[in-house]
Amino acid sequence: MASSTVQYRIKLLNLCVLVSCFVHQVNGYSGGWQSAHATFYGGSDAAGTMGGACGYGNLYSQGYGTSTAALSTALFNNGLSCGACYQMKCNADPKWCRSSTITVTATNFCPPNYALASDNGGWCNPPRRHFDLAQPAFLKIAEYRAGIVPVVFRRVACAKKGGMRFTINGHSYFNLVLITNVGGAGDVHTVSIKGSRTGWQPMTRNWGQNWQSNSFLDGQSLSFRVIASDGRTLTANNIVPHGWQFGQTFEGPQF
């Protein structure tokens, strides 16, 4: 009896691993290598990469540093790819490639430039897959003088220090919550919020990784439920105390 129970648990564990791997593959996370191109921006200290279309603001203080990238339209997914992590290496250009492999987080959008041809300056024009890397990241895989290089890339799990962070901005009846430092898949696709005097309420994505609720939640402790692109769900219960103020950041658990 005990032996059959152990075998059943092993089979169940194998099934869970298989389902988890399938979900990751379906969402492009932990998939195979794909081809793209990479350029760089932001200067030698990456100061020009601060802010950006994901809403992360100061990438140094948020923990993203200089290992970041702006994604072309084909990869950006209207902002839902913000926070995703990509492993990348220069490919098939021995004159300019370096041998290093890097991992970068998507923190910005590289807009198309339809005034230029896609193969001559309009690098981020659809349907091109393109990464505009922070200059320090680019220099790990290619020479500065290259300007643009072919790369191969794949989605990988994001390794982050500490818990997921929730920064509450806005005002009463307009709670704008920026979610940062997300591990695992990295890109958040669904968020719900719950006050100590409310049930769970869906939030809408305003822009980047800023999520909006129009409920009056002042003076209530807050909980969040986050679903990433790989389908994994994280619930951060009562991580925001009832005396919170707009502009504050609170740390929750991590994937």
Side-chain angles (χ1 to χ4, degrees):
M1 187 71 174
S3 177
S4 62
T5 301
V6 170
Q7 290 179 355
Y8 172 77
R9 287 177 177 174
I10 291 174
K11 289 180 180 178
L12 185 61
L13 177 61
N14 289 336
L15 177 62
C16 288
V17 170
L18 179 63
V19 170
S20 177
C21 289
F22 175 75
V23 170
H24 290 174
Q25 291 287 352
V26 166
N27 288 280
Y29 164 42
S30 296
W33 293 98
Q34 301 179 66
S35 60
H37 285 81
T39 49
F40 63 89
Y41 78 116
S44 60
D45 61 355
T49 66
M50 300 297 118
C54 291
Y56 294 144
N58 188 316
L59 300 178
Y60 294 136
S61 61
Q62 294 286 17
Y64 296 105
T66 60
S67 296
T68 63
L71 307 186
S72 65
T73 301
L75 297 170
F76 192 61
N77 196 16
N78 292 317
L80 280 174
S81 293
C82 289
C85 294
Y86 300 86
Q87 190 177 63
M88 185 183 311
K89 54 188 175 182
C90 191
N91 184 53
D93 193 344
K95 180 179 180 180
W96 300 116
C97 285
R98 293 177 172 172
S99 59
S100 298
T101 299
I102 60 173
T103 299
V104 295
T105 303
T107 59
N108 204 354
F109 174 54
C110 182
N113 183 353
Y114 296 114
L116 298 175
S118 296
D119 60 353
N120 188 25
W123 310 125
C124 290
N125 293 352
R128 290 177 65 97
R129 294 189 296 257
H130 190 90
F131 294 86
D132 202 14
L133 301 173
Q135 184 175 319
F138 181 88
L139 294 181
K140 291 179 180 178
I141 62 169
E143 300 289 337
Y144 178 89
R145 291 177 57 199
I148 179 171
V149 292
V151 298
V152 290
F153 73 97
R154 61 184 177 185
R155 283 284 303 273
V156 294
C158 299
K160 302 299 182 184
K161 295 180 180 179
M164 194 180 304
R165 292 193 288 267
F166 301 81
T167 302
I168 306 175
N169 294 306
H171 51 80
S172 301
Y173 297 103
F174 180 72
N175 307 282
L176 194 64
V177 180
L178 172 65
I179 302 177
T180 58
N181 202 53
V182 181
D187 48 347
V188 172
H189 279 203
T190 306
V191 182
S192 299
I193 190 170
K194 186 173 95 63
S196 52
R197 299 193 297 272
T198 75
W200 286 103
Q201 303 173 1
M203 302 185 77
T204 57
R205 193 171 63 88
N206 188 291
W207 65 284
Q209 282 296 352
N210 283 282
W211 295 80
Q212 176 182 336
S213 167
N214 293 331
S215 297
F216 183 77
L217 298 169
D218 296 28
Q220 300 181 54
S221 60
L222 304 178
S223 303
F224 296 95
R225 181 169 291 155
V226 174
I227 303 177
S229 65
D230 61 358
R232 295 174 67 192
T233 300
L234 180 145
T235 302
N237 284 314
N238 298 314
I239 62 164
V240 180
H242 64 84
W244 60 271
Q245 300 291 324
F246 289 105
Q248 289 183 308
T249 298
F250 302 91
E251 187 169 317
Q254 185 61 274
F255 281 120

